[in-house]
Amino acid sequence: MTEGGGDARANAAAVDDVPEAGSSVDAASTVNEPGGETPAASKPERDAWLPRWLVAHPLYAGWAWTVVWAGLIVLDEVVDLAGWTWYLLVLVAALPTLISTLVVLHATPRSHLRAVDATVLGHFFVRFLALVAAFMVWAASVVMSASISTTVQSVIGDSEKEVTALGFNLMLAAVPLVLSVLWMAFIVRCAWFLRRLRGWRQVPVRTRVPKKFLKGRPRLKRVVVGLAHPGLLLVAGLGTSLLALFVDAVELTLNVLG
């Protein structure tokens, strides 16, 4: 059964088909098949090691993890640790939901997300917005290039060697900023696909995740799909990145004013 808008060939899988969290299959309570054979379901689950609370509330666990590491990002600025540590803290804050997202998206063919219910207007409007955003980025890059070129020429002079060296230094200094922007764009894109793939519920009843995904391991599947939540990914990936940039910008402003 598929959600509306999915490809008719896509095999939807219910995530909430796992027994109550923490419950195990009791061989004594199962009904034997004809001939006295015990059903295969009586075998212990391979993912029984997962904590009951994590299986029951994977999204809540993800929120708690994010809040803890967001607090550490703020603490990092308060105690003034090394400048690069907030990159590591942002990555760790998004690690559970990011890994779950990558696993789910990797296991899902693109054919499961064909937007057959999308209107022609919506199709072209999204691409219009993409073109506008691309033009704005190009225009900003042209203006910044001209400004940097003028500034370098006025500071260094006509020494071609020194101008080239300063230009390479500025490019290297811009790498962390560019990577941060690309990281945030990647998070937004993944969250967009997650919204279409599994919706906003903590444990969705219907998804477009293939049935073969983590087949035979329902508890682990419940946790992975629960952590691969678009809202959690946006907050843990995009939100913590903006928090770190904001805190760093506030500190820089205070230093300048001081």
Side-chain angles (χ1 to χ4, degrees):
M1 184 180 297
T2 58
E3 273 187 309
D7 189 354
R9 295 174 301 173
N11 294 324
V15 178
D16 204 13
D17 56 356
V18 62
E20 291 295 328
S23 65
S24 59
V25 179
D26 187 3
S29 62
T30 57
V31 180
N32 290 340
E33 296 178 349
E37 297 180 358
T38 304
S42 63
K43 297 180 180 179
E45 295 181 1
R46 290 182 295 172
D47 49 7
W49 54 271
L50 290 169
R52 295 176 56 185
W53 58 268
L54 180 60
V55 177
H57 306 289
L59 183 57
Y60 295 159
W63 285 122
W65 176 276
T66 302
V67 169
V68 169
W69 287 98
L72 291 178
I73 291 174
V74 177
L75 181 63
D76 172 55
E77 296 298 333
V78 173
V79 299
D80 196 20
L81 296 177
W84 56 268
T85 53
W86 74 267
Y87 291 100
L88 179 62
L89 294 176
V90 168
L91 178 61
V92 175
L95 200 58
T97 182
L98 181 62
I99 292 177
S100 299
T101 296
L102 295 179
V103 170
V104 170
L105 294 181
H106 176 71
T108 306
R110 187 174 177 83
S111 60
H112 285 223
L113 291 175
R114 288 182 179 174
V116 296
D117 58 344
T119 63
V120 176
L121 176 61
H123 174 82
F124 284 106
F125 184 70
V126 170
R127 278 148 184 78
F128 170 75
L129 292 180
L131 290 175
V132 171
F135 173 77
M136 293 178 63
V137 171
W138 173 80
S141 66
V142 171
V143 173
M144 290 180 62
S145 299
S147 177
I148 291 174
S149 176
T150 303
T151 303
V152 170
Q153 289 289 344
S154 62
V155 172
I156 302 300
D158 296 331
S159 176
E160 182 178 353
K161 183 177 180 180
E162 294 183 3
V163 169
T164 303
L166 181 58
F168 276 111
N169 289 334
L170 291 175
M171 288 180 59
L172 291 176
V175 168
L177 178 61
V178 173
L179 291 179
S180 300
V181 174
L182 294 178
W183 160 264
M184 290 186 284
F186 173 73
I187 293 296
V188 171
R189 189 61 173 168
C190 288
W192 170 263
F193 278 103
L194 281 180
R195 181 195 65 83
R196 297 174 56 193
L197 184 64
R198 45 94 68 217
W200 295 94
R201 295 186 56 178
Q202 176 176 212
V203 182
V205 177
R206 297 178 182 177
T207 72
R208 300 181 187 179
V209 180
K211 290 183 177 180
K212 64 181 181 180
F213 176 64
L214 293 178
K215 187 175 182 180
R217 309 190 70 174
R219 291 164 62 87
L220 181 59
K221 181 176 182 179
R222 179 186 176 108
V223 172
V224 171
V225 177
L227 288 175
H229 188 275
L232 178 61
L233 182 64
L234 284 175
V235 173
L238 181 61
T240 54
S241 300
L242 294 176
L243 173 65
L245 291 174
F246 174 76
V247 172
D248 188 62
V250 169
E251 181 183 6
L252 178 61
T253 303
L254 293 177
N255 291 336
V256 172
L257 293 177

